[in-house]
Amino acid sequence: MILLRHFKIQLFVIACMVFSHNAFGQKKTAPIRQAKWLIGSWKNQSAKTLDIETWKKLNDSIFLGRSYSLAGADTVSSEHIRLEQHSGKLYYIPTVKNQNDGKAVTFTLTSVDSKHLVFENPEHDFPQKITYTQISKDSLVAEISGIRKGKQKAIPFPMKRVK
């Protein structure tokens, strides 16, 4: 009887140790924290357009982004973006002017590490995938990709940090 009680106590102590190691020893990083390198202002000057994207932290679960392209003095595209974390999942939610009847589209984070963010929405017409890759502290490549008119297409947007 005493041996059985001693065994139960040992089992309980081992279970507590395993639980505390899993709960506290292997703390999982919140996905939005892995996107903090996006915060700031970014630009890309091509032969046709000047692309600008800015990100700021609203709070611990929301980053706000704004992206636009200028051709001369004309704004040729504009979007507002929300990077939102809910229940441990991260969502990229753009609202693009003159698209989708002004409604936001939600892309879900499908892959993340310290230098890559991949968001996907297979139901969206184009793009179905949005990827951000940090090249260095001061450069990144944003890419939209997916099937367009029956063919795979990818459009990269290399950007430099604006100082």
Side-chain angles (χ1 to χ4, degrees), residues 72-149:
D74 297 327
T75 301
V76 292
S77 70
S78 174
E79 70 181 300
H80 292 273
I81 311 155
R82 294 177 66 87
L83 202 56
E84 295 186 8
Q85 183 173 290
H86 303 284
S87 303
K89 292 188 178 184
L90 191 61
Y91 302 95
Y92 182 96
I93 309 168
T95 304
V96 182
K97 187 175 181 178
N98 300 322
Q99 290 184 17
N100 304 310
D101 296 322
K103 296 176 184 166
V105 177
T106 300
F107 293 80
T108 303
L109 182 73
T110 57
S111 178
V112 63
D113 64 33
S114 63
K115 296 186 181 280
H116 299 91
L117 301 163
V118 180
F119 301 91
E120 296 185 68
N121 179 339
E123 304 303 315
H124 191 249
D125 56 358
F126 184 85
Q128 291 93 39
K129 184 188 282 188
I130 299 169
T131 305
Y132 283 86
T133 303
Q134 183 184 33
I135 305 303
S136 72
K137 180 182 171 202
D138 294 323
S139 66
L140 65 79
V141 175
E143 182 178 273
I144 59 174
S145 61
I147 304 295
R148 186 177 207 179
K149 297 181 182 178

Side-chain angles (χ1 to χ4, degrees), residues 10-115:
Q10 283 181 329
L11 192 58
F12 176 74
V13 169
I14 290 169
C16 287
M17 288 171 53
V18 169
F19 171 75
S20 67
H21 176 71
N22 287 340
F24 304 108
Q26 298 176 343
K27 186 175 180 185
K28 192 173 180 183
T29 302
I32 200 161
R33 287 187 188 161
Q34 290 186 289
K36 68 183 176 186
W37 55 267
L38 279 178
I39 294 174
S41 295
W42 304 86
K43 76 173 183 176
N44 176 40
Q45 179 72 59
S46 71
K48 296 180 181 178
T49 62
L50 171 63
D51 301 313
I52 298 172
E53 187 163 308
T54 58
W55 286 94
K56 65 181 180 179
K57 179 180 175 179
L58 181 64
N59 57 43
D60 287 342
S61 60
I62 299 174
F63 292 175
L64 299 177
R66 174 129 167 36
S67 176
Y68 56 96
S69 295
L70 301 172
D74 297 327
T75 301
V76 292
S77 70
S78 174
E79 70 181 300
H80 292 273
I81 311 155
R82 294 177 66 87
L83 202 56
E84 295 186 8
Q85 183 173 290
H86 303 284
S87 303
K89 292 188 178 184
L90 191 61
Y91 302 95
Y92 182 96
I93 309 168
T95 304
V96 182
K97 187 175 181 178
N98 300 322
Q99 290 184 17
N100 304 310
D101 296 322
K103 296 176 184 166
V105 177
T106 300
F107 293 80
T108 303
L109 182 73
T110 57
S111 178
V112 63
D113 64 33
S114 63
K115 296 186 181 280

